[in-house]
Coordinates of all heavy atoms in Angstrom, one line a residue:
S1 N 9.1 1.7 -20.4 CA 8.7 2.3 -19.2 C 8.0 1.2 -18.3 O 7.6 0.2 -18.7 CB 7.8 3.5 -19.3 OG 6.4 3.1 -19.5
L2 N 7.9 1.5 -17.0 CA 7.4 0.7 -16.0 C 5.9 0.3 -16.3 O 5.4 -0.8 -16.1 CB 7.6 1.2 -14.5 CG 7.4 0.2 -13.4 CD1 8.2 -1.1 -13.6 CD2 7.6 0.9 -12.2
E3 N 5.3 1.3 -16.7 CA 3.7 1.1 -17.0 C 3.6 0.1 -18.1 O 2.5 -0.4 -18.3 CB 3.0 2.4 -17.3 CG 2.9 3.3 -16.0 CD 2.4 4.6 -16.2 OE1 2.3 5.1 -17.4 OE2 1.9 5.1 -15.3
D4 N 4.5 0.0 -19.1 CA 4.4 -1.0 -20.1 C 4.6 -2.4 -19.6 O 4.1 -3.3 -20.2 CB 5.6 -0.8 -21.3 CG 5.4 0.7 -22.0 OD1 4.2 1.1 -21.9 OD2 6.4 1.1 -22.4
M5 N 5.2 -2.5 -18.5 CA 5.5 -4.0 -18.0 C 4.6 -4.3 -16.8 O 4.4 -5.5 -16.6 CB 6.9 -4.0 -17.5 CG 8.0 -3.9 -18.5 SD 9.7 -4.1 -17.9 CE 9.8 -2.5 -17.0
C6 N 3.9 -3.2 -16.2 CA 3.1 -3.5 -15.0 C 1.9 -2.8 -15.1 O 1.7 -1.7 -15.6 CB 3.9 -3.0 -13.7 SG 5.5 -3.7 -13.5
D7 N 1.0 -3.3 -14.3 CA -0.3 -2.6 -14.0 C -0.2 -1.7 -12.8 O -0.2 -2.3 -11.8 CB -1.4 -3.6 -13.9 CG -2.9 -2.8 -13.8 OD1 -2.9 -1.7 -14.2 OD2 -3.7 -3.5 -13.3
L8 N -0.2 -0.3 -13.0 CA 0.1 0.4 -11.8 C -1.2 1.1 -11.4 O -1.9 1.5 -12.4 CB 1.2 1.4 -12.2 CG 2.7 0.9 -12.4 CD1 3.5 2.0 -12.9 CD2 3.2 0.2 -11.3
H9 N -1.3 1.3 -10.2 CA -2.5 2.1 -9.7 C -2.1 2.9 -8.5 O -1.5 2.4 -7.5 CB -3.7 1.1 -9.3 CG -5.0 2.0 -8.9 ND1 -5.9 2.5 -9.8 CD2 -5.3 2.3 -7.7 CE1 -6.7 3.1 -9.1 NE2 -6.5 3.1 -7.9
S10 N -2.5 4.2 -8.5 CA -1.9 5.0 -7.3 C -3.2 5.6 -6.7 O -4.2 5.8 -7.4 CB -1.1 6.1 -7.6 OG -1.6 7.0 -8.6
T11 N -3.0 5.8 -5.3 CA -4.3 6.5 -4.7 C -3.5 7.6 -3.8 O -2.3 7.6 -3.6 CB -4.9 5.5 -3.6 OG1 -4.0 5.0 -2.7 CG2 -5.5 4.4 -4.4
M12 N -4.4 8.5 -3.4 CA -3.8 9.8 -2.8 C -3.9 9.6 -1.2 O -3.2 10.4 -0.6 CB -4.7 11.0 -3.1 CG -4.6 11.2 -4.7 SD -2.9 11.4 -5.2 CE -2.4 12.8 -4.3
D13 N -4.5 8.8 -0.6 CA -4.6 8.6 0.9 C -4.9 7.1 1.2 O -5.2 6.2 0.3 CB -5.5 9.5 1.5 CG -6.9 9.4 1.1 OD1 -7.4 8.2 0.9 OD2 -7.5 10.5 0.9
G14 N -4.7 6.8 2.4 CA -5.0 5.4 3.0 C -6.4 4.9 2.8 O -6.6 3.8 2.4
K15 N -7.4 5.9 3.0 CA -8.9 5.3 2.8 C -9.1 5.1 1.5 O -9.8 4.0 1.1 CB -9.8 6.3 3.3 CG -9.8 6.5 4.8 CD -10.9 7.5 5.2 CE -10.9 7.6 6.7 NZ -11.9 8.4 7.2
E16 N -8.5 5.8 0.4 CA -8.7 5.4 -1.0 C -8.0 4.1 -1.3 O -8.5 3.4 -2.2 CB -8.2 6.6 -1.7 CG -8.5 6.6 -3.3 CD -7.9 7.7 -4.1 OE1 -7.8 8.8 -3.5 OE2 -7.7 7.5 -5.3
A17 N -6.8 3.9 -0.8 CA -6.1 2.6 -1.1 C -6.9 1.6 -0.5 O -7.0 0.6 -1.3 CB -4.7 2.7 -0.4
L18 N -7.4 1.6 0.7 CA -8.2 0.5 1.2 C -9.5 0.2 0.5 O -9.9 -1.0 0.1 CB -8.5 0.7 2.7 CG -7.3 0.6 3.6 CD1 -7.8 1.1 5.0 CD2 -6.8 -0.7 3.7
Q19 N -10.2 1.3 -0.1 CA -11.3 1.2 -0.8 C -11.0 0.6 -2.4 O -11.7 -0.4 -2.8 CB -11.9 2.5 -1.0 CG -13.3 2.4 -1.7 CD -14.3 1.7 -1.0 OE1 -14.6 2.0 0.0 NE2 -14.9 0.7 -1.7
Y20 N -9.9 0.9 -2.7 CA -9.4 0.3 -4.1 C -9.2 -1.2 -3.9 O -9.7 -2.2 -4.8 CB -8.1 0.8 -4.5 CG -7.5 0.2 -5.6 CD1 -7.9 0.2 -6.9 CD2 -6.3 -0.8 -5.4 CE1 -7.4 -0.4 -8.0 CE2 -5.7 -1.4 -6.5 CZ -6.2 -1.3 -7.8 OH -5.6 -1.9 -8.9
L21 N -8.6 -1.7 -2.8 CA -8.5 -3.1 -2.6 C -9.8 -3.7 -2.3 O -10.1 -4.9 -2.7 CB -7.6 -3.4 -1.3 CG -6.0 -2.9 -1.5 CD1 -5.4 -3.0 -0.1 CD2 -5.4 -3.7 -2.6
E22 N -10.7 -3.1 -1.5 CA -12.0 -3.7 -1.3 C -12.8 -3.8 -2.6 O -13.5 -4.8 -2.9 CB -12.8 -2.9 -0.4 CG -14.2 -3.3 -0.1 CD -14.2 -4.8 0.6 OE1 -13.2 -5.1 1.3 OE2 -15.0 -5.6 0.4
D23 N -12.7 -2.8 -3.5 CA -13.4 -2.8 -4.8 C -12.9 -4.0 -5.6 O -13.7 -4.7 -6.3 CB -13.1 -1.6 -5.6 CG -13.9 -0.4 -4.9 OD1 -14.8 -0.6 -4.1 OD2 -13.7 0.8 -5.3
R24 N -11.6 -4.3 -5.7 CA -11.1 -5.3 -6.4 C -11.5 -6.7 -5.9 O -11.9 -7.6 -6.6 CB -9.4 -5.3 -6.4 CG -8.9 -4.2 -7.2 CD -7.4 -4.4 -7.4 NE -7.1 -5.4 -8.2 CZ -7.0 -5.4 -9.5 NH1 -7.4 -4.4 -10.2 NH2 -6.5 -6.6 -10.2
R25 N -11.6 -6.7 -4.6 CA -12.1 -8.1 -3.9 C -13.6 -8.3 -4.3 O -13.9 -9.4 -4.6 CB -11.9 -7.9 -2.5 CG -12.5 -9.2 -1.7 CD -12.1 -9.4 -0.3 NE -12.3 -8.2 0.6 CZ -12.1 -8.2 1.9 NH1 -11.4 -9.2 2.3 NH2 -12.4 -7.1 2.5
T26 N -14.3 -7.2 -4.1 CA -15.9 -7.4 -4.4 C -16.3 -7.6 -5.8 O -17.2 -8.2 -6.1 CB -16.7 -6.3 -3.8 OG1 -16.3 -5.0 -4.4 CG2 -16.5 -6.1 -2.3
T27 N -15.3 -7.2 -6.8 CA -15.6 -7.4 -8.2 C -14.9 -8.7 -8.6 O -15.0 -9.0 -9.9 CB -15.3 -6.3 -9.1 OG1 -13.8 -6.0 -8.8 CG2 -16.0 -5.0 -8.7
G28 N -14.3 -9.4 -7.8 CA -13.8 -10.7 -8.1 C -12.3 -10.6 -8.9 O -11.9 -11.6 -9.3
L29 N -11.8 -9.3 -8.8 CA -10.4 -9.1 -9.4 C -9.4 -9.6 -8.3 O -9.6 -9.3 -7.1 CB -10.2 -7.7 -9.7 CG -11.2 -7.3 -10.9 CD1 -10.9 -5.7 -11.1 CD2 -10.8 -7.9 -12.2
S30 N -8.2 -9.9 -8.7 CA -7.1 -10.4 -7.8 C -6.6 -9.0 -7.1 O -6.7 -7.9 -7.7 CB -6.1 -11.1 -8.6 OG -5.5 -10.3 -9.5
L31 N -6.0 -9.3 -5.9 CA -5.5 -8.2 -5.3 C -4.0 -7.9 -6.0 O -3.6 -8.7 -6.7 CB -5.1 -8.5 -3.8 CG -6.3 -8.6 -3.0 CD1 -6.1 -9.1 -1.6 CD2 -7.2 -7.3 -2.9
P32 N -3.4 -6.8 -5.8 CA -2.3 -6.6 -6.4 C -1.0 -7.4 -5.9 O -1.2 -8.1 -4.8 CB -1.8 -5.1 -6.1 CG -2.7 -4.7 -4.9 CD -3.9 -5.7 -5.0
D33 N 0.1 -7.6 -6.7 CA 1.1 -8.4 -6.3 C 2.0 -7.6 -5.2 O 2.7 -8.5 -4.5 CB 2.0 -8.8 -7.4 CG 1.4 -9.6 -8.5 OD1 0.6 -10.5 -8.0 OD2 1.5 -9.3 -9.7
L34 N 1.8 -6.4 -5.1 CA 2.7 -5.6 -4.1 C 1.9 -4.3 -3.8 O 1.4 -3.7 -4.7 CB 4.0 -5.3 -4.8 CG 4.9 -4.3 -4.1 CD1 5.6 -5.0 -2.9 CD2 6.1 -3.9 -5.0
V35 N 2.0 -3.8 -2.6 CA 1.5 -2.5 -2.2 C 2.7 -1.7 -1.8 O 3.6 -2.1 -0.8 CB 0.5 -2.8 -1.0 CG1 0.2 -1.4 -0.5 CG2 -0.7 -3.6 -1.5
L36 N 2.9 -0.5 -2.2 CA 4.0 0.5 -1.7 C 3.2 1.6 -1.0 O 2.3 2.2 -1.5 CB 4.6 1.0 -3.0 CG 5.7 2.0 -2.8 CD1 6.9 1.3 -2.1 CD2 6.2 2.6 -4.1
L37 N 3.6 1.7 0.4 CA 3.0 2.6 1.2 C 3.9 3.7 1.6 O 5.0 3.3 2.1 CB 2.3 2.0 2.5 CG 1.2 1.1 2.2 CD1 0.8 0.5 3.6 CD2 -0.1 2.0 1.9
D38 N 3.5 5.0 1.6 CA 4.2 6.0 2.3 C 3.9 6.0 3.8 O 2.7 5.8 4.1 CB 3.8 7.3 1.8 CG 4.7 8.5 2.1 OD1 5.4 8.3 3.2 OD2 4.8 9.6 1.5
M39 N 4.9 6.1 4.7 CA 4.6 6.1 6.2 C 3.8 7.3 6.5 O 3.0 7.2 7.5 CB 5.8 6.0 6.9 CG 6.5 4.5 6.7 SD 8.1 4.4 7.4 CE 8.2 5.2 8.8
Q40 N 3.8 8.4 5.8 CA 3.1 9.6 6.3 C 2.1 10.0 5.2 O 2.6 10.9 4.2 CB 4.1 10.7 6.6 CG 5.1 10.5 7.7 CD 6.0 11.5 8.1 OE1 6.2 12.2 7.3 NE2 6.3 11.6 9.3
M41 N 0.9 9.5 5.4 CA 0.0 10.0 4.2 C -1.1 10.7 5.0 O -1.3 10.7 6.2 CB -0.8 8.6 3.7 CG 0.3 7.7 3.0 SD -0.6 6.3 2.1 CE -1.1 5.4 3.6
P42 N -1.9 11.6 4.1 CA -3.0 12.2 4.8 C -4.1 11.3 5.2 O -4.3 10.3 4.7 CB -3.5 13.2 3.8 CG -2.9 12.7 2.4 CD -1.8 11.7 2.8
G43 N -4.7 11.6 6.4 CA -5.8 10.8 7.0 C -5.4 9.5 7.8 O -5.7 9.5 8.9
M44 N -4.7 8.6 7.2 CA -4.2 7.5 8.0 C -2.7 7.4 7.7 O -2.2 7.7 6.5 CB -4.9 6.1 7.4 CG -6.3 6.2 7.6 SD -6.9 4.6 6.7 CE -6.5 3.4 7.9
T45 N -2.0 6.9 8.5 CA -0.5 6.7 8.4 C -0.4 5.3 7.6 O -1.3 4.6 7.5 CB 0.2 6.5 9.8 OG1 -0.2 5.3 10.5 CG2 0.0 7.8 10.6
G46 N 0.8 5.2 7.0 CA 1.1 4.0 6.4 C 1.1 2.7 7.3 O 0.7 1.6 6.9
F47 N 1.4 2.9 8.6 CA 1.3 1.8 9.5 C -0.2 1.4 9.7 O -0.5 0.2 9.8 CB 2.0 2.2 10.9 CG 3.4 2.4 10.8 CD1 3.9 3.8 11.0 CD2 4.2 1.3 10.6 CE1 5.3 3.9 10.9 CE2 5.6 1.4 10.5 CZ 6.2 2.7 10.7
E48 N -1.0 2.4 9.9 CA -2.5 2.0 10.0 C -3.0 1.3 8.8 O -3.8 0.3 8.9 CB -3.3 3.4 10.2 CG -3.0 4.0 11.6 CD -3.5 5.5 11.7 OE1 -3.6 6.2 10.6 OE2 -3.9 5.8 12.8
V49 N -2.7 1.9 7.6 CA -3.2 1.2 6.5 C -2.6 -0.3 6.3 O -3.3 -1.2 5.9 CB -2.7 2.0 5.1 CG1 -3.1 1.2 3.8 CG2 -3.4 3.3 5.2
C50 N -1.4 -0.4 6.6 CA -0.8 -1.8 6.6 C -1.4 -2.7 7.6 O -1.9 -3.8 7.3 CB 0.7 -1.7 7.0 SG 1.6 -3.3 7.1
G51 N -1.8 -2.2 8.8 CA -2.5 -3.1 9.7 C -3.9 -3.5 9.3 O -4.4 -4.5 9.4
E52 N -4.6 -2.5 8.5 CA -6.0 -2.9 8.0 C -5.9 -3.8 6.8 O -6.7 -4.6 6.7 CB -6.7 -1.6 7.5 CG -7.2 -0.7 8.5 CD -8.2 -1.3 9.3 OE1 -9.1 -2.0 8.7 OE2 -8.3 -1.2 10.6
I53 N -4.8 -3.7 6.0 CA -4.6 -4.7 5.0 C -4.3 -6.0 5.6 O -5.0 -7.0 5.2 CB -3.4 -4.2 4.1 CG1 -3.8 -3.0 3.3 CG2 -3.0 -5.4 3.2 CD1 -2.7 -2.3 2.4
R54 N -3.4 -6.1 6.6 CA -3.2 -7.4 7.3 C -4.4 -8.0 7.8 O -4.7 -9.1 7.8 CB -2.1 -7.2 8.3 CG -0.8 -6.8 7.7 CD -0.1 -8.1 7.1 NE 1.2 -7.8 6.5 CZ 1.6 -7.7 5.3 NH1 0.7 -8.1 4.3 NH2 2.9 -7.4 4.9
K55 N -5.2 -7.2 8.5 CA -6.4 -7.7 9.1 C -7.5 -8.0 8.1 O -8.2 -8.9 8.2 CB -6.9 -6.6 10.1 CG -8.2 -6.9 10.9 CD -8.5 -6.0 11.9 CE -8.9 -4.7 11.2 NZ -9.5 -3.6 12.1
S56 N -7.7 -7.2 7.1 CA -8.9 -7.4 6.2 C -8.7 -8.3 4.9 O -9.6 -8.8 4.4 CB -9.4 -6.1 5.8 OG -9.7 -5.3 6.9
F57 N -7.5 -8.4 4.4 CA -7.2 -8.9 3.1 C -6.3 -10.1 3.1 O -6.1 -10.8 2.0 CB -6.6 -7.8 2.2 CG -7.6 -6.7 1.9 CD1 -7.4 -5.4 2.5 CD2 -8.7 -6.8 1.0 CE1 -8.3 -4.5 2.4 CE2 -9.5 -5.8 0.9 CZ -9.3 -4.5 1.6
E58 N -5.8 -10.4 4.1 CA -4.8 -11.6 4.3 C -5.4 -12.9 3.9 O -4.9 -13.9 3.6 CB -4.1 -11.6 5.6 CG -3.1 -10.4 5.6 CD -1.8 -10.5 4.9 OE1 -1.1 -11.5 5.1 OE2 -1.4 -9.7 4.2
Q59 N -6.7 -13.0 4.4 CA -7.4 -14.5 4.2 C -7.3 -14.9 2.7 O -7.2 -16.0 2.4 CB -8.8 -14.4 4.7 CG -8.9 -14.2 6.3 CD -8.7 -12.8 6.7 OE1 -8.9 -11.9 5.8 NE2 -8.4 -12.6 8.0
E60 N -7.6 -14.0 1.8 CA -7.7 -14.4 0.4 C -6.3 -14.4 -0.2 O -6.1 -15.1 -1.2 CB -8.5 -13.5 -0.4 CG -10.0 -13.3 0.0 CD -10.1 -12.0 1.1 OE1 -9.4 -11.2 1.0 OE2 -11.0 -12.3 2.0
H61 N -5.5 -13.6 0.2 CA -4.2 -13.5 -0.4 C -3.0 -13.7 0.6 O -2.9 -12.8 1.5 CB -4.0 -12.0 -1.0 CG -3.1 -11.8 -2.0 ND1 -1.6 -11.7 -1.8 CD2 -3.0 -11.9 -3.4 CE1 -1.1 -11.6 -2.9 NE2 -1.8 -11.8 -3.9
A62 N -2.5 -14.9 0.7 CA -1.7 -15.4 1.7 C -0.9 -14.4 2.5 O -1.0 -14.1 3.7 CB -0.9 -16.6 1.3
Q63 N -0.1 -13.8 1.9 CA 0.7 -12.7 2.4 C 1.1 -11.6 1.4 O 1.9 -11.6 0.6 CB 2.1 -13.3 2.9 CG 3.0 -12.3 3.7 CD 2.4 -12.0 5.2 OE1 1.6 -12.8 5.5 NE2 2.9 -10.9 5.7
L64 N 0.2 -10.7 1.4 CA 0.3 -9.6 0.5 C 1.6 -8.7 0.8 O 1.6 -8.1 1.9 CB -1.0 -8.7 0.5 CG -0.9 -7.5 -0.5 CD1 -0.9 -8.0 -2.0 CD2 -2.2 -6.7 -0.3
P65 N 2.5 -8.6 -0.1 CA 3.8 -8.0 0.2 C 3.6 -6.4 0.4 O 2.9 -5.8 -0.6 CB 4.8 -8.1 -1.0 CG 4.1 -9.4 -1.6 CD 2.8 -9.4 -1.4
I66 N 4.1 -5.8 1.3 CA 3.9 -4.4 1.4 C 5.3 -3.7 1.7 O 6.1 -4.2 2.6 CB 3.0 -4.1 2.7 CG1 1.7 -4.7 2.6 CG2 2.9 -2.6 3.1 CD1 0.7 -4.5 3.7
I67 N 5.7 -2.8 0.9 CA 6.9 -2.0 1.1 C 6.6 -0.6 1.7 O 5.6 0.1 1.1 CB 7.7 -1.8 -0.2 CG1 8.1 -3.2 -0.7 CG2 8.8 -0.9 0.0 CD1 8.8 -3.3 -2.0
M68 N 7.1 -0.2 2.8 CA 6.9 1.0 3.5 C 7.9 1.9 3.2 O 9.2 1.5 3.2 CB 6.7 0.9 5.0 CG 5.7 -0.2 5.4 SD 4.1 0.6 5.5 CE 4.3 1.6 6.9
V69 N 7.7 3.2 2.7 CA 8.7 4.2 2.5 C 8.5 5.5 3.2 O 7.3 5.8 3.7 CB 8.9 4.4 0.9 CG1 9.4 3.2 0.2 CG2 7.6 5.1 0.3
S70 N 9.5 6.2 3.3 CA 9.3 7.7 3.9 C 10.4 8.5 3.4 O 11.5 8.1 3.2 CB 9.4 7.5 5.5 OG 9.3 8.8 6.0
S71 N 10.1 9.8 3.2 CA 11.0 10.7 2.7 C 11.5 11.6 3.9 O 12.3 12.5 3.7 CB 10.4 11.6 1.6 OG 9.2 12.3 2.2
R72 N 10.9 11.5 5.0 CA 11.3 12.2 6.2 C 12.2 11.5 7.1 O 11.8 10.7 7.9 CB 9.9 12.6 7.0 CG 9.1 13.6 6.0 CD 8.1 14.2 6.8 NE 8.8 15.2 7.8 CZ 8.1 15.8 8.6 NH1 6.7 15.7 8.6 NH2 8.7 16.6 9.4
T73 N 13.5 11.8 7.0 CA 14.4 11.0 7.8 C 15.6 12.2 8.3 O 16.0 12.9 7.4 CB 15.1 10.0 7.0 OG1 14.2 9.0 6.5 CG2 16.3 9.3 7.8
P74 N 15.9 12.2 9.5 CA 16.9 13.1 10.0 C 18.2 12.8 9.2 O 18.5 11.6 9.0 CB 17.0 12.8 11.5 CG 15.8 12.1 11.8 CD 15.3 11.4 10.5
A75 N 18.9 13.8 8.8 CA 20.2 13.7 8.0 C 21.2 12.8 8.7 O 21.7 12.1 8.1 CB 20.7 15.0 7.8
E76 N 21.2 12.8 10.1 CA 22.2 12.0 10.7 C 22.0 10.4 10.7 O 22.7 9.7 11.0 CB 22.4 12.5 12.2 CG 21.1 12.4 13.1 CD 20.4 13.7 13.0 OE1 20.6 14.6 12.2 OE2 19.3 13.7 13.7
T77 N 20.6 10.1 10.3 CA 20.4 8.7 10.3 C 20.4 8.1 8.8 O 20.2 6.9 8.6 CB 19.0 8.4 10.9 OG1 17.9 9.1 10.0 CG2 18.9 8.7 12.3
V78 N 20.8 8.9 7.9 CA 20.9 8.4 6.5 C 22.2 7.6 6.3 O 23.2 8.1 6.7 CB 20.8 9.7 5.5 CG1 21.0 9.3 4.0 CG2 19.5 10.5 5.7
A79 N 22.0 6.5 5.7 CA 23.2 5.6 5.5 C 24.2 6.1 4.4 O 25.3 6.0 4.6 CB 22.7 4.2 5.1
I80 N 23.7 6.7 3.4 CA 24.5 7.2 2.3 C 24.4 8.6 2.3 O 23.4 9.4 2.2 CB 24.0 6.7 1.0 CG1 24.0 5.1 1.0 CG2 24.9 7.2 -0.2 CD1 23.3 4.5 -0.3
K81 N 25.6 9.3 2.4 CA 25.7 10.8 2.4 C 26.3 11.3 1.2 O 27.1 10.7 0.5 CB 26.5 11.2 3.5 CG 25.8 10.8 4.8 CD 26.3 11.4 6.1 CE 25.6 11.0 7.3 NZ 25.7 11.9 8.4

């Protein structure tokens, strides 16, 4: 399974995700190798969280990769039918 190969951590909203990253930074742990964000999360959008990550965490970690996903797409814009 993926959990056997990777250290996975999930959060339920943007504020919790930002707090997780801040906690890692303040305890001297490295930031994750990748962040996967839903564009529509409770509290903060994925775009807002991405902006905060870019503003607050880029100095220590040159370019933290962020993948944005969304499950809400109009059927006519889906590439594969």
Side-chain angles (χ1 to χ4, degrees):
S1 80
L2 189 57
E3 289 180 343
D4 294 335
M5 298 182 291
C6 303
D7 181 23
L8 301 175
H9 183 83
S10 62
T11 60
M12 296 307 294
D13 60 41
K15 287 185 179 186
E16 188 179 334
L18 292 171
Q19 187 61 54
Y20 171 75
L21 294 174
E22 182 60 30
D23 291 347
R24 290 192 66 85
R25 176 169 57 186
T26 58
T27 58
L29 297 172
S30 63
L31 293 176
D33 293 324
L34 173 71
V35 173
L36 181 64
L37 288 175
D38 188 338
M39 291 172 32
Q40 296 181 336
M41 297 184 290
M44 297 175 76
T45 68
F47 292 112
E48 292 169 326
V49 176
C50 182
E52 284 298 315
I53 290 171
R54 293 285 183 243
K55 183 171 68 174
S56 302
F57 297 98
E58 293 282 308
Q59 292 78 21
E60 301 90 33
H61 200 277
Q63 185 74 15
L64 181 59
I66 299 173
I67 297 175
M68 307 273 294
V69 296
S70 177
S71 62
R72 298 192 66 181
T73 302
E76 59 274 0
T77 64
V78 177
I80 301 172
K81 295 187 184 208

